[in-house]
């Protein structure tokens, strides 16, 4: 009987030379990943479409030879599929939980990725103490936090001119309409929703993409305008409460 998590026909094209290793990784997720609680037991039959391919197609939004950090990596998604699909990338898997880090280290060893994939234990809000400031060309994150919080967490890790790629759900357009001003105040520009994998996979991946703007002389990024935005929102809330009494 063919396992329910066998790859779809598009997988060899997406992963290229890394396809056989992607199969090994899928088996790890379906066995040890499920046993250790990193992947839900019902996810085994949709590992490829929902997790591996969904992650790997984001590679089309990443420049050659980029240094990438996968923040809140969990079971290695999207960082490991990106590394398998793009052997030119250097990937850091940033994860706060020790048991997940152990799985990630085992997976990296099993897949022979030690030379260019690093597992680092740490939390995104404490990234300044965990990784070198502005160390990465690209930060990727999968459903990690609301956009406003996510932008503030990732900005210190990304080089000026580097990008944030946040894998989001169907509600990202509405989410962005609320968060855009805050993201721009933090120091992000060219904030937009893009689709990765169009014409290649059944369900393209929805990604919030933003560029880390170079800091302006004499102005601290994410300071004044962000505070003003928060004050304005607090004032609106206060006004609403006053009208309701």
């Amino acid at each position: 009987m063919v396992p329910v998590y066998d790859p779809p026909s598009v997988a060899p094209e997406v992963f290229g030379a890394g396809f056989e290793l992607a199969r090994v990784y899928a088996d790890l997720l379906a066995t040890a990943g499920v046993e250790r609680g990193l992947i839900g037991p019902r996810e085994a039959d949709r590992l490829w479409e929902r997790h591996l391919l969904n992650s790997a197609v984001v590679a089309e939004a990443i420049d050659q030879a980029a240094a990438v950090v996968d923040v809140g990596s969990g079971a290695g998604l999207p960082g490991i599929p990106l590394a398998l699909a793009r052997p030119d990338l250097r990937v850091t898997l940033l994860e706060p939980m020790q048991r997940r880090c152990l799985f990630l280290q085992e997976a990296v060893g099993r897949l022979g990725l030690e030379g260019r994939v690093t597992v680092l234990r740490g939390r995104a809000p404490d990234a300044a103490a965990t990784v070198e400031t502005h160390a990465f060309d690209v930060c990727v994150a999968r459903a990690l936090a609301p956009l406003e919080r996510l932008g503030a967490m990732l900005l210190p890790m990304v080089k000026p001119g580097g990008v944030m790629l946040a894998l989001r759900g169907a509600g990202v357009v509405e989410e962005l309409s609320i968060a855009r001003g805050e993201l721009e105040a933090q120091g992000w520009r060219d904030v937009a929703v893009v689709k990765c994998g169009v014409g290649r996979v059944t369900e393209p991946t929805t990604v919030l993409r933003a560029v880390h703007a170079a800091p302006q002389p004499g102005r601290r990024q994410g300071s004044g305008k962000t505070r003003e935005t928060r004050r304005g929102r607090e004032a609106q809330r206060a006004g609403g409460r006053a009208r309701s009494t």
Side-chain angles (χ1 to χ4, degrees):
M1 181 177 178
V2 178
V4 291
Y5 49 86
D6 263 9
S9 59
V10 72
E13 175 198 336
V14 172
F15 282 98
F19 171 60
E20 289 303 324
L21 289 177
R23 293 185 66 140
V24 174
Y25 179 53
D27 287 340
L28 280 173
L29 290 177
T31 53
V34 171
E35 291 163 7
R36 300 187 194 183
L38 278 72
I39 294 289
R42 297 182 181 179
E43 296 297 300
D45 63 345
R46 51 183 183 177
L47 277 173
W48 285 94
E49 291 84 354
R50 187 178 176 87
H51 299 293
L52 277 77
L53 291 173
N54 178 270
S55 297
V57 294
V58 178
E60 66 189 40
I62 300 177
D63 290 341
Q64 287 290 316
V68 180
V69 59
D70 174 12
V71 181
S73 187
L77 301 162
I80 289 179
L82 287 173
L84 294 175
R86 287 281 301 277
D88 59 295
L89 301 179
R90 290 164 290 129
V91 179
T92 296
L93 307 175
L94 182 64
E95 167 57 44
M97 295 186 64
Q98 178 65 18
R99 65 182 181 86
R100 292 176 180 172
C101 287
L102 290 174
F103 173 84
L104 292 174
Q105 289 165 349
E106 292 169 15
V108 168
R110 177 82 177 274
L111 299 170
L113 298 174
E114 297 97 329
R116 58 189 182 86
V117 177
T118 302
V119 178
L120 186 61
R121 186 179 181 190
R123 297 175 63 252
D126 304 325
T130 306
V131 299
E132 183 183 348
T133 303
H134 297 166
F136 298 98
D137 302 302
V138 179
C139 275
V140 295
R142 194 175 190 229
L144 181 63
L147 286 180
E148 295 175 8
R149 259 181 57 216
L150 186 66
M153 286 192 293
L154 300 190
L155 190 76
M157 289 185 275
V158 185
K159 297 175 181 177
V163 300
M164 164 175 65
L165 299 173
L167 285 66
R168 312 301 286 187
V172 66
V173 174
E174 181 179 355
E175 190 181 7
L176 178 57
S177 70
I178 298 170
R180 181 184 293 276
E182 186 88 6
L183 291 172
E184 291 176 349
Q186 290 167 2
W188 298 104
R189 62 176 172 81
D190 300 335
V191 183
V193 176
V194 300
K195 294 280 188 177
C196 295
V198 175
R200 303 173 71 196
V201 295
T202 305
E203 294 187 21
T205 304
T206 303
V207 178
L208 185 284
R209 181 184 186 275
V211 179
H212 181 179
Q216 299 177 7
R219 181 178 176 184
R220 187 177 173 185
Q221 281 187 299
S223 54
K225 187 176 177 183
T226 303
R227 286 196 297 269
E228 290 168 9
T229 302
R230 288 173 181 162
R231 288 184 189 130
R233 289 179 179 171
E234 289 169 0
Q236 289 176 352
R237 293 192 195 103
R241 287 194 295 269
R243 287 191 296 272
S244 65
T245 58

